[in-house]
Amino acid sequence: MMQKSWRITIILFPILMIVLSMFLRHELLNVIKSHQTWLLNFYSKLKMNSDEQQPYNCHWSFVNYTPNSWENMWYDNIGTFQTNVCEQLSNDENLNKTILMIQLITMLQKSGRYDTSIEQLQIDNIFSTMFYRYECINPRTLRTSKIIEVSHSIEPLIGLLRDPFSICSRLHTSIVPLSLYDGANLQSKRSILLSVSAPFYTHSILSDSKYLNDLSVISDDDNNNNNNVLPWMYQRLSHTNIDKEIHIRNPKVILLDLGSSYFNGWKSDTTAAAGQWLYEYYKRFNVKFDRIIAFEFSLLDQEIVWKELPDDVFPIYTFINVGVTENGKFNPWTMLKTIAQPFDHIIVKLDIDTTVLENVLINQILTDPSIHTLIDELLFEHHVTINEMMPYWGNMGHSLKGSLEDSYILFTKLRQLGIRAHSWP
């Protein structure tokens, strides 16, 4: 009986071991699978947390230029209007808007974008808009998120593209306040709204934007003297350049004055002073120039040039008493690309009274991204054939080409590139 029992045990033992082995193997596999699942889940969560913690590449970019309905009306009809601009300005609708535009810009030039007496409805009805977007891009997934959009006001392209009360004879004195004719000289700059004083509005903040709910992306550090230079006016990148992060908080502010004349004016005409006007405009909003480079073709008295400069301008002023050129070392864009970076705030004023060369330089801006991506504000007097301006531009003779309609097209193109382009008087 014992032998039989042992025989059965001997026979069953291997079978039991096989069964036990299979059972243990199955349980082990379950444990391993379970741990694999847990490990994968853990890794996945860890990876997600890592992605969340991984710094995004964030930058401002220009979105588009949007003219308001008033500008659109002028743009669509300028081919007809350009033969009688002052007459068109004198109709009640245009005149009332023109009065309000000059009043608003005058206030903004003096007190800036935080003037509480100016209503947003007035801004929306009168001014056109430059749109900008703040984007954060995950460098691994290239997923874009956390977006702020802002609109930044700019004067509309209407009329003669200059202060209408300085050129057109008195328009409906019963409607126009007489005070608007004070300072309405040929060189009036009351139609120019620069970015440092122009109102801006935040349009959208994504709800999941924890990082951007802090609007420090809009206002600069307290230690930045140039805190009225808004970040999209020096931190812009193109949509294709997403592998860089621009977070420069203290841009250099550089003025390139082409056709500078003297700092305080030309031939005792202080209203023609570009350098002084721009210096005082920016200083009013606590923005200091880091460098001013002035080109002038006409031979100037060097002693007067340097004596006229304010004390804080003297050390940062470079005067080149040579005319600008299409190419070579005196081409202003060659110099600009050498001294400026995309994260600087660059202002260019171009008025050299040489139509052919002016047009060449402007075309270089339009066609060369390495130039136009550097320029934030452009002030340019486009000399074309306009009846109302012939008494002042007639000495340019046959060099005048184009029409007021061409000026509208040109300034629109410049603004569509992201340049705040203004018509200079």
Side-chain angles (χ1 to χ4, degrees), residues 255-303:
L255 168 62
L256 196 58
D257 189 353
L258 311 179
S260 64
S261 184
Y262 291 103
F263 189 82
N264 291 342
W266 175 249
K267 296 181 179 179
S268 73
D269 183 3
T270 57
T271 65
Q276 184 180 44
W277 184 82
L278 288 164
Y279 164 76
E280 290 178 351
Y281 195 128
Y282 277 84
K283 187 177 181 179
R284 201 174 299 133
F285 302 103
N286 299 315
V287 177
K288 298 178 180 179
F289 289 115
D290 293 283
R291 190 166 185 185
I292 300 175
I293 300 172
F295 279 86
E296 175 54 51
F297 173 78
S298 300
L299 186 63
L300 302 187
D301 186 316
Q302 295 291 313
E303 185 176 359

Side-chain angles (χ1 to χ4, degrees), residues 201-405:
Y201 300 99
T202 302
H203 283 269
S204 63
I205 304 176
L206 294 186
S207 58
D208 65 347
S209 176
K210 296 178 182 178
Y211 175 66
L212 294 180
N213 282 336
D214 175 7
L215 294 185
S216 62
V217 295
I218 290 183
S219 61
D220 280 355
D221 294 335
D222 293 336
N223 62 359
N224 178 9
N225 292 326
N226 294 332
N227 58 9
N228 273 309
V229 180
L230 294 164
W232 52 87
M233 294 307 299
Y234 63 91
Q235 290 186 23
R236 294 191 311 280
L237 290 175
S238 66
H239 286 290
T240 56
N241 193 5
I242 62 175
D243 59 334
K244 295 181 181 179
E245 179 175 3
I246 297 298
H247 198 58
I248 307 300
R249 292 291 184 149
N250 194 17
K252 289 184 179 179
V253 179
I254 301 172
L255 168 62
L256 196 58
D257 189 353
L258 311 179
S260 64
S261 184
Y262 291 103
F263 189 82
N264 291 342
W266 175 249
K267 296 181 179 179
S268 73
D269 183 3
T270 57
T271 65
Q276 184 180 44
W277 184 82
L278 288 164
Y279 164 76
E280 290 178 351
Y281 195 128
Y282 277 84
K283 187 177 181 179
R284 201 174 299 133
F285 302 103
N286 299 315
V287 177
K288 298 178 180 179
F289 289 115
D290 293 283
R291 190 166 185 185
I292 300 175
I293 300 172
F295 279 86
E296 175 54 51
F297 173 78
S298 300
L299 186 63
L300 302 187
D301 186 316
Q302 295 291 313
E303 185 176 359
I304 296 175
V305 167
W306 294 102
K307 277 187 174 181
E308 284 188 348
L309 300 179
D311 291 344
D312 57 340
V313 171
F314 190 91
I316 52 94
Y317 196 81
T318 301
F319 180 64
I320 303 173
N321 205 174
V322 175
V324 294
T325 57
E326 179 178 346
N327 299 295
K329 66 174 66 176
F330 295 118
N331 175 269
W333 317 140
T334 300
M335 176 176 287
L336 183 63
K337 287 189 284 186
T338 301
I339 66 171
Q341 300 293 328
F343 43 82
D344 292 329
H345 181 65
I346 308 298
I347 308 104
V348 175
K349 189 226 78 185
L350 173 57
D351 182 12
I352 58 176
D353 291 339
T354 305
T355 307
V356 174
L357 182 53
E358 285 175 337
N359 291 338
V360 168
L361 294 175
I362 289 294
N363 191 58
Q364 289 173 347
I365 294 176
L366 288 170
T367 57
D368 189 342
S370 70
I371 300 171
H372 67 238
T373 53
L374 291 175
I375 300 173
D376 300 293
E377 303 263 14
L378 173 66
L379 305 110
F380 170 51
E381 184 170 30
H382 192 209
H383 299 102
V384 293
T385 304
I386 308 174
N387 292 336
E388 288 84 354
M389 296 305 300
M390 291 313 294
Y392 314 103
W393 293 347
N395 61 336
M396 294 184 182
H398 298 295
S399 66
L400 288 178
K401 304 291 182 184
S403 64
L404 185 58
E405 182 175 14

Side-chain angles (χ1 to χ4, degrees), residues 35-202:
H35 277 272
Q36 283 180 337
T37 302
W38 175 86
L39 187 62
L40 288 172
N41 287 336
F42 175 77
Y43 176 75
S44 178
K45 289 179 180 179
L46 184 66
K47 193 167 184 295
M48 287 173 63
N49 289 335
S50 175
D51 286 344
E52 288 297 321
Q53 293 172 5
Q54 185 171 359
Y56 282 71
N57 290 340
C58 300
H59 68 273
W60 286 97
S61 59
F62 172 68
V63 179
N64 64 55
Y65 170 61
T66 303
N68 67 1
S69 58
W70 187 29
E71 178 177 329
N72 279 330
M73 186 276 293
W74 274 92
Y75 188 93
D76 292 341
N77 295 281
I78 192 59
T80 303
F81 289 177
Q82 63 187 350
T83 58
N84 57 354
V85 177
C86 289
E87 182 180 337
Q88 294 298 328
L89 283 171
S90 63
N91 77 54
D92 288 352
E93 182 178 3
N94 277 324
L95 188 56
N96 286 326
K97 287 185 176 180
T98 301
I99 292 170
L100 182 57
M101 180 187 74
I102 297 299
Q103 290 174 332
L104 289 175
I105 294 178
T106 301
M107 294 169 66
L108 290 165
Q109 285 182 352
K110 291 179 179 177
S111 56
R113 63 177 66 93
Y114 301 113
D115 190 324
T116 56
S117 66
I118 300 175
E119 299 177 2
Q120 184 172 350
L121 182 61
Q122 293 176 312
I123 299 294
D124 294 340
N125 287 338
I126 297 299
F127 295 119
S128 293
T129 308
M130 309 282 284
F131 281 91
Y132 305 88
R133 180 179 298 143
Y134 191 72
E135 299 176 326
C136 290
I137 301 173
N138 185 314
R140 187 185 66 83
T141 65
L142 301 183
R143 185 173 69 90
T144 301
S145 62
K146 304 175 181 177
I147 297 174
I148 289 177
E149 284 194 354
V150 297
S151 60
H152 202 180
S153 300
I154 189 170
E155 76 275 7
L157 303 173
I158 61 100
L160 293 166
L161 303 181
R162 55 199 305 140
D163 185 342
F165 300 109
S166 66
I167 301 297
C168 298
S169 58
R170 299 196 170 232
L171 305 168
H172 289 286
T173 52
S174 60
I175 299 176
V176 181
L178 292 177
S179 60
L180 282 186
Y181 287 102
D182 294 336
N185 52 66
L186 182 63
Q187 297 294 332
S188 169
K189 300 164 185 66
R190 298 183 305 179
S191 59
I192 298 173
L193 182 59
L194 298 179
S195 62
V196 290
S197 64
F200 72 87
Y201 300 99
T202 302

